[in-house]
Amino acid sequence: MAPPCGSGRRWSRAVKMTFYLFFLIPMSFARNRNTNTIFGKKQKPEVQQQLKRLNKPALKSIESPDGDIIDCVDIYKQPAFDHPLLKNHTIQMRPSSYPEGFSFDEINDISSNSEPEFTQPWHLNGRCPEGTIPIRRTKEEDLLRAGSVANFGRKKYHTIPHAQNKIDLPAYEYATYGEAGDKYYGMTAEMNLWNPHTQEENEYSLSQFWLERGEYGQDLDSIQAGAMVYERLYQDKNTRLFLYWTDDAYQSTGCYNLMCPGFVQLDKQIAMGARVTPYSKYDGDQFALKFYVWKDVNGSGDWWLKINNRDFGYWPSSLFSILSDSAEEVRWGGQVINYYSGGQHTTTQMGSGHLAEEGPRKASFFKNLNVIDGLQILRGPQKTTTFISKPNCYNILTYGGLFYYGGPGRNPNCP
């Protein structure tokens, strides 16, 4: 996956080449630059306008111990409704139905006041009131670090997990497992949570699911969510929740979290883009996140996302062209970006940073995997395939509805 949402003549050739190679202004440069430079002056009005668009008026703001600011925004004034297709959208406060076979013992017991089954640091300093949703505040340095307002929160590299035969992206590496060949109306997955090391600030490591339809280079719709470490985007090496979508193969639509309009959030306890804890420990306690996605075929056809038994929100069907009907592929797994710093593979880890064969409590896992197929039946994966781009650096071992994956990046077999 994964990053999606003049004065050029004055730049020296070296600066141009640096921008080309790294696609983004290095964070250290962004931190130290004087925003009163020519570049800063030209960008500043656009940056301020974008900050105003992103940071909706808050009814309450919470300063997190990790430095994030969480704004509690009126649910009806969230960024989603800036999307031209959602101007007259009627917010759906709950799905009209749950798929048959989804085992939610808590469905009728979950309330907006109940605690999520994991924590985020901002919870220590307060909670958002009823009728609001938590949004991680975007800061000026975040936009400056992205190099341009248009780049912020978006994927710079147009990839799908198995596109190596279509485009040349040697820096993208992944280990994924999934199924294609049917109509899919949802999926379930549970993954253990880790805090993988990333070597370079413009590298990332993520674990996620994909629901997709279409073909890269023509028309591709995709919805995704999971956990990631991405220093360039968040200015630290902590694991954070994310979601993503695109309607045109990452060309101009979609971005991370709520950084561009589209996804409608309902939950007031979970903030996308905020840290999530605790992490699993090598050969110790394991902590997992549960994801459920399903198309509300008996309602408006929206794609709903449930996280740990909480109806988190939905992707409105109107956002998509071909995914408005159904998906044609479901995948789960890990992805990293590797820049071969110094001419060798970096030490950026996937998942726990240990290879799949190390097994329980040591390797990363996805389990309780199911899809909702064209017959609207919840079942385990069939006709499955794996994609592993660098099997000596990251790998995968499958056991039906369970698989282990990950790896350390550079190692004796991965120079």
Side-chain angles (χ1 to χ4, degrees):
M1 212 184 74
C5 216
S7 70
R9 295 178 180 176
R10 301 174 185 237
W11 285 6
S12 69
R13 181 174 302 221
V15 173
K16 284 184 179 179
M17 182 59 70
T18 300
F19 186 84
Y20 174 76
L21 289 173
F22 292 95
F23 291 88
L24 299 173
I25 298 173
M27 183 183 301
S28 59
F29 185 64
R31 285 174 180 164
N32 297 326
R33 83 178 304 144
N34 180 353
T35 57
N36 289 323
T37 62
I38 293 174
F39 179 79
K41 287 178 180 178
K42 284 186 173 292
Q43 286 286 90
K44 199 144 192 172
E46 190 179 2
V47 166
Q48 294 305 315
Q49 183 179 10
Q50 182 76 334
L51 287 173
K52 185 177 180 179
R53 186 190 69 78
L54 289 169
N55 297 322
K56 302 299 184 183
L59 300 181
K60 177 182 179 180
S61 294
I62 301 168
E63 187 169 351
S64 177
D66 60 7
D68 284 351
I69 297 176
I70 304 299
D71 290 325
C72 303
V73 174
D74 186 326
I75 194 171
Y76 293 99
K77 297 180 180 179
Q78 62 180 291
F81 303 118
D82 290 341
H83 195 292
L85 294 176
L86 302 181
K87 290 296 185 182
N88 298 314
H89 181 78
T90 300
I91 193 169
Q92 308 298 303
M93 299 308 295
R94 59 181 53 84
S96 65
S97 63
Y98 294 89
E100 184 177 353
F102 268 37
S103 57
F104 298 144
D105 294 335
E106 303 89 344
I107 282 177
N108 295 321
D109 300 322
I110 291 292
S111 73
S112 60
N113 292 318
S114 62
E115 296 292 326
E117 297 175 7
F118 56 88
T119 61
Q120 294 186 299
W122 66 274
H123 292 161
L124 295 172
N125 291 339
R127 299 298 176 103
C128 285
E130 285 292 337
T132 68
I133 62 167
I135 302 179
R136 181 181 181 271
R137 184 182 298 180
T138 300
K139 302 174 183 178
E140 181 175 302
E141 54 264 34
D142 296 329
L143 292 178
L144 292 176
R145 196 166 60 248
S148 77
V149 169
N151 289 337
F152 181 67
R154 297 185 180 275
K155 291 193 178 188
K156 293 289 292 180
Y157 317 96
H158 305 147
T159 101
I160 53 178
H162 51 286
Q164 75 273 23
N165 61 331
K166 299 174 184 176
I167 47 178
D168 183 20
L169 290 171
Y172 273 86
E173 299 170 356
Y174 37 80
T176 69
Y177 172 78
E179 177 181 344
D182 198 349
K183 287 189 173 183
Y184 301 100
Y185 294 89
M187 67 94 220
T188 69
E190 183 174 350
M191 70 179 194
N192 55 350
L193 187 69
W194 299 87
N195 185 223
H197 162 76
T198 56
Q199 178 176 313
E200 307 295 329
E201 69 172 14
N202 55 349
E203 295 181 334
Y204 65 64
S205 178
L206 55 83
S207 298
Q208 68 168 97
F209 67 82
W210 293 260
L211 273 164
E212 298 185 322
R213 184 171 182 175
E215 185 175 351
Y216 183 84
Q218 297 181 20
D219 192 8
L220 176 77
D221 289 5
S222 179
I223 57 177
Q224 310 164 21
M228 73 187 312
V229 175
Y230 189 18
E231 186 178 2
R232 172 59 56 82
L233 185 61
Y234 295 112
Q235 211 167 352
D236 62 31
K237 293 180 179 291
N238 296 309
T239 298
R240 297 171 179 269
L241 288 179
F242 80 90
L243 58 82
Y244 194 91
W245 67 274
T246 182
D247 176 47
D248 61 359
Y250 310 101
Q251 299 300 313
S252 61
T253 61
C255 61
Y256 288 109
N257 308 328
L258 307 185
M259 295 175 184
C260 64
F263 184 86
V264 178
Q265 181 169 333
L266 303 176
D267 190 81
K268 72 184 185 69
Q269 299 277 19
I270 302 171
M272 277 293 157
R275 289 176 57 196
V276 57
T277 57
Y279 305 134
S280 298
K281 296 179 176 61
Y282 182 79
D283 204 21
D285 292 337
Q286 303 294 293
F287 298 95
L289 291 175
K290 292 178 284 186
F291 293 97
Y292 311 85
V293 180
W294 72 100
K295 187 174 178 61
D296 190 6
V297 295
N298 296 321
S300 301
D302 304 322
W303 290 92
W304 282 79
L305 172 65
K306 182 183 282 285
I307 303 175
N308 281 23
N309 299 316
R310 301 181 65 84
D311 290 331
F312 182 76
Y314 60 92
W315 290 272
S317 180
S318 59
L319 292 177
F320 303 104
S321 52
I322 53 178
L323 197 58
S324 61
D325 174 47
S326 62
E328 63 183 10
E329 183 170 16
V330 182
R331 301 205 70 79
W332 305 271
Q335 185 183 51
V336 302
I337 187 169
N338 160 44
Y339 274 100
Y340 289 92
S341 177
Q344 58 183 335
H345 200 288
T346 62
T347 56
T348 290
Q349 300 173 334
M350 181 188 294
S352 68
H354 294 265
L355 293 170
E357 53 264 32
E358 294 195 39
R361 300 199 307 171
K362 297 177 181 178
S364 303
F365 68 69
F366 272 84
K367 66 180 183 178
N368 297 326
L369 303 177
N370 289 285
V371 299
I372 304 173
D373 66 15
L375 299 176
Q376 293 290 306
I377 295 174
L378 183 73
R379 61 165 174 78
Q382 302 171 0
K383 307 175 189 174
T384 56
T385 57
T386 60
F387 292 97
I388 308 171
S389 58
K390 289 280 186 177
N392 292 328
C393 308
Y394 315 100
N395 67 353
I396 187 169
L397 291 176
T398 65
Y399 303 92
L402 162 71
F403 68 90
Y404 294 100
Y405 70 102
R410 185 167 68 227
N411 65 68
N413 296 317
C414 175

